[in-house]
């Protein structure tokens, strides 16, 4: 039996909107993935949790407008630890489409803005993990 894909869902900072993160987490769980819900965490806490929980994917749900800075900080923190290629990074939340390509250049595998469908997130993850 193949190993379950393990996903960490976190909210960097302290913005209070969490409904999307919970909804996506439940959808991933229902699709057979193991989900670790990190809740509100600093970037360093996200990295620590990802390492301790041995996840495959780090997902950040961001509604504060700081998506570029948080993603850059996450990637830099992983690079300092020599772990940049260990985790797939997915970013979602109230993110303007104009920033999607920049987030991918920084290091996000994909970006999900308002109106994204959980089935599309699941399909993207499965496609990426089937290629390995």
């Amino acid at each position: 039996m193949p190993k379950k894909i393990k996903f960490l869902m976190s909210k960097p900072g302290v913005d209070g909107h969490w409904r999307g993160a919970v909804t996506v987490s439940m959808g991933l769980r229902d699709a057979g993935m193991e989900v670790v819900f990190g809740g509100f965490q600093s970037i360093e806490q996200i990295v620590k949790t990802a390492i301790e929980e041995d996840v495959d994917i780090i997902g950040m749900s961001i509604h504060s407008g700081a998506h570029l800075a948080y993603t850059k900080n996450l990637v830099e923190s992983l690079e300092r630890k020599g772990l940049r290629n260990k985790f797939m990074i997915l970013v979602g939340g109230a993110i303007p489409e104009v920033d999607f390509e920049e987030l991918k250049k920084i290091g996000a595998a994909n970006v999900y803005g308002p109106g994204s469908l959980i089935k599309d997130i699941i399909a993207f993850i499965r496609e990426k993990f089937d290629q390995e």
Side-chain angles (χ1 to χ4, degrees), residues 37-56:
F37 193 78
F40 298 102
Q41 295 183 300
S42 70
I43 293 298
E44 288 307 317
Q45 289 170 322
I46 292 170
V47 171
K48 182 179 180 199
T49 302
I51 294 166
E52 288 176 354
E53 294 289 339
D54 193 28
V55 300
D56 302 299

Side-chain angles (χ1 to χ4, degrees), residues 11-101:
K11 298 218 25 89
V14 292
D15 83 46
H17 186 89
W18 53 269
R19 185 176 300 157
V22 171
T23 302
V24 171
S25 294
M26 290 189 305
L28 297 176
R29 178 206 60 200
D30 292 349
M33 296 179 206
E34 184 175 346
V35 178
V36 176
F37 193 78
F40 298 102
Q41 295 183 300
S42 70
I43 293 298
E44 288 307 317
Q45 289 170 322
I46 292 170
V47 171
K48 182 179 180 199
T49 302
I51 294 166
E52 288 176 354
E53 294 289 339
D54 193 28
V55 300
D56 302 299
I57 304 166
I58 297 172
M60 293 194 298
S61 174
I62 305 167
H63 291 83
S64 65
H67 45 274
L68 295 170
Y70 282 136
T71 304
K72 184 177 181 188
N73 290 341
L74 176 66
V75 169
E76 288 172 353
S77 180
L78 291 171
E79 286 174 348
R80 282 192 302 274
K81 293 177 178 2
L83 298 171
R84 173 57 195 102
N85 295 319
K86 180 170 173 45
F87 307 103
M88 174 191 288
I89 299 169
L90 297 178
V91 180
I95 300 171
E97 196 169 329
V98 68
D99 289 339
F100 284 18
E101 285 308 311

